[in-house]
């Protein structure tokens, strides 16, 4: 049942947005090349729910500008893929982490506001 929930959540999230939804299988493969801003979240967390429109707006506003620079956006559902969140040392939701060629470069400082996240992404 847990696996079925995870598969359903991934399909639903992929349909809802164009950024990449990462799971235990795709995470290391996808993030190996390019620069990635990865949002770790829990679908039941009120702060994650409040942050979702900010994340979506940053992605929508910047995707065309950042794609040629190999900067990508992705998300990980920590309820479905707890091990990925443990590996990244995620201790609160939402958390945005920057990866460069598969290497965790750390949390985006203050990365829960549009201005900070957009400025960080544009600086990559």
């Amino acid at each position: 049942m847990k696996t079925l929930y995870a598969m359903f959540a991934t399909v639903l999230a992929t349909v809802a947005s164009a950024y990449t939804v990462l799971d235990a299988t795709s995470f290391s493969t996808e993030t190996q090349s390019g620069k990635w801003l990865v949002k770790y979240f829990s679908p039941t967390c009120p702060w994650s729910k409040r942050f979702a429109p900010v994340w979506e707006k940053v992605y929508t506003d910047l995707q065309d500008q950042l794609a040629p620079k190999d900067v990508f956006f992705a998300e990980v559902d920590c309820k479905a893929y707890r091990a990925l969140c443990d590996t990244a040392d995620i201790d609160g939701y939402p958390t945005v982490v920057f990866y460069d060629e598969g290497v965790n470069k750390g949390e985006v400082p203050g990365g829960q506001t549009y201005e900070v996240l957009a400025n960080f992404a544009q600086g990559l």
Side-chain angles (χ1 to χ4, degrees):
M1 184 67 170
K2 193 175 193 180
T3 304
L4 183 58
Y5 166 77
M7 288 175 26
F8 178 72
T10 299
V11 168
L12 185 60
T14 302
V15 169
S17 73
Y19 50 81
T20 305
V21 177
L22 299 172
D23 60 28
T25 305
S26 65
F27 186 88
S28 60
T29 305
E30 291 287 340
T31 61
Q32 282 305 307
S33 70
K35 296 173 181 163
W36 289 80
L37 292 172
V38 179
K39 174 183 77 168
Y40 291 89
F41 75 102
S42 170
T44 58
C45 168
W47 295 278
S48 291
K49 291 177 182 179
R50 278 186 230 138
F51 179 63
V54 173
W55 177 254
E56 189 70 35
K57 181 156 178 50
V58 171
Y59 169 75
T60 302
D61 289 353
L62 300 179
Q63 66 179 332
D64 292 337
Q65 175 187 348
L66 296 177
K69 296 166 58 174
D70 285 335
V71 177
F72 306 100
F73 287 73
E75 67 178 28
V76 173
D77 178 343
C78 291
K79 191 167 185 172
Y81 303 105
R82 182 76 227 157
L84 285 176
C85 300
D86 289 343
T87 300
D89 267 344
I90 303 304
D91 59 4
Y93 309 119
T95 299
V96 178
V97 176
F98 171 54
Y99 290 84
D100 190 1
E101 304 295 329
V103 177
N104 181 334
K105 297 294 187 173
E107 186 175 332
V108 175
Q112 294 181 4
T113 67
Y114 179 90
E115 294 76 17
V116 169
L117 194 52
N119 287 337
F120 184 88
Q122 289 172 318
L124 297 176

